[in-house]
Amino acid sequence: IAEISADPSFCYPDAALLVYTHHIDSSFSMWEFNGYQFSGFEYDSITMILNDSFENVKLIVNEFGCVSQPVEMQLKRKPNFDFYTESEEGCQPFSLEVFAETDDKSIDFTWVADSLPYPTGVSNLVFLPDTGKFDMSLIAYSNETGCTDTLLKPDWIWVHRNPSAKFEVNYQVALIDNAEISFINYSERAENYFWDFGDSLTSLEFEPHHTYTELGSYKHMFLDESDYSCRDTVEFGIKII
């Protein structure tokens, strides 16, 4: 009697182990699934790949020349899905949109994120104001099979801390005869620097010196950048009299 040790009500992952439960040494098993046939004395068990949401399997057994009636069974698979985003790293605060993708039919998605609890849909907008690494999870429910599965990606999103742009000058107001300004850099967590002195001249030095040649008020802008391309800017007024 052909009998398969599988449960049609169970939601299997991408593969299922099928076993002929009444196997003896003289059992010649003939399996048929996925459009292929597998037969032999060694096939008392076989792994079935579940490519579709539903897959049919048939077993016929020959023992001592006696052939069993065929037994057929339909197995169902958990949803097959993934999710992605354009960038998995960003600077604080970080906003991103994540997208679900699947080839299965009739799938409902539920997102699990720290910022928005259980929003639904094929995409999700996420806002992360804090720094660190964050998990992302997606729950998929198949209306076709009634199966549910959850995909967790731990530490999937990495939010980097911004640098801190800080500096001082030796003179905020200077005479034109002594208009060399020294910039003292107190920035934190920065690797690259850009100084705009407000008179069309710039510098990439850590602590530049700049001499103004004309009277007036100048709006100076300082930008620093971290290893992860995160930036901070600060503006400052300098007056030459």
Side-chain angles (χ1 to χ4, degrees):
I1 299 174
E3 185 175 329
I4 304 173
S5 65
D7 185 357
S9 64
F10 183 75
C11 295
Y12 288 90
D14 293 338
L17 177 62
L18 308 177
V19 179
Y20 167 45
T21 56
H22 302 304
H23 173 263
I24 60 177
D25 290 342
S26 299
S27 299
F28 187 89
S29 303
M30 294 168 283
W31 300 89
E32 183 177 335
F33 55 83
N34 295 342
Y36 297 96
Q37 293 182 344
F38 306 88
S39 59
F41 291 103
E42 72 276 14
Y43 283 109
D44 59 307
S45 64
I46 192 170
T47 298
M48 176 182 178
I49 304 300
L50 300 173
N51 294 316
D52 297 326
S53 299
F54 289 104
E55 291 283 2
N56 295 318
V57 57
K58 181 170 70 173
L59 172 63
I60 300 175
V61 180
N62 185 326
E63 294 174 358
F64 305 108
C66 301
V67 181
S68 71
Q69 292 293 321
V71 60
E72 295 190 50
M73 183 180 295
Q74 186 180 68
L75 302 182
K76 56 185 180 180
R77 169 178 56 73
K78 294 180 179 181
N80 193 338
F81 65 100
D82 197 1
F83 60 87
Y84 67 94
T85 186
E86 292 183 358
S87 178
E88 299 171 11
E89 293 186 36
C91 303
Q92 178 189 22
F94 187 38
S95 297
L96 68 153
E97 187 172 9
V98 286
F99 304 89
E101 56 181 355
T102 181
D103 291 329
D104 290 357
K105 300 177 182 178
S106 302
I107 301 294
D108 293 333
F109 293 106
T110 302
W111 299 90
V112 183
D114 293 335
S115 58
L116 294 175
Y118 303 106
T120 60
V122 295
S123 65
N124 180 30
L125 292 173
V126 181
F127 176 71
L128 300 173
D130 299 323
T131 60
K133 294 186 177 182
F134 298 89
D135 302 345
M136 187 69 66
S137 298
L138 180 60
I139 302 171
Y141 172 78
S142 172
N143 295 286
E144 186 180 15
T145 64
C147 296
T148 301
D149 200 10
T150 301
L151 175 61
L152 167 65
K153 295 186 179 182
D155 295 337
W156 190 55
I157 301 299
W158 191 3
V159 182
H160 301 288
R161 189 177 180 185
N162 290 325
S164 176
K166 300 177 183 178
F167 72 94
E168 288 183 356
V169 295
N170 57 344
Y171 302 110
Q172 186 174 359
V173 179
L175 298 173
I176 187 66
D177 295 334
N178 187 26
E180 182 182 25
I181 308 298
S182 298
F183 295 85
I184 306 170
N185 192 342
Y186 295 115
S187 295
E188 300 175 358
R189 301 178 300 278
E191 294 293 332
N192 301 309
Y193 310 95
F194 176 79
W195 307 81
D196 186 340
F197 302 114
D199 59 354
S200 73
L201 297 179
T202 61
S203 174
L204 300 177
E205 297 179 16
F206 177 73
E207 288 185 334
H209 301 272
H210 181 66
T211 300
Y212 290 92
T213 59
E214 295 184 7
L215 301 176
S217 297
Y218 298 91
K219 181 182 289 186
H220 175 270
M221 190 272 291
F222 173 48
L223 179 149
D224 62 1
E225 183 180 69
S226 70
D227 285 340
Y228 302 104
S229 299
C230 299
R231 297 177 176 180
D232 188 26
T233 59
V234 61
E235 292 185 350
F236 189 77
I238 295 177
K239 190 173 184 179
I240 306 301
I241 60 176

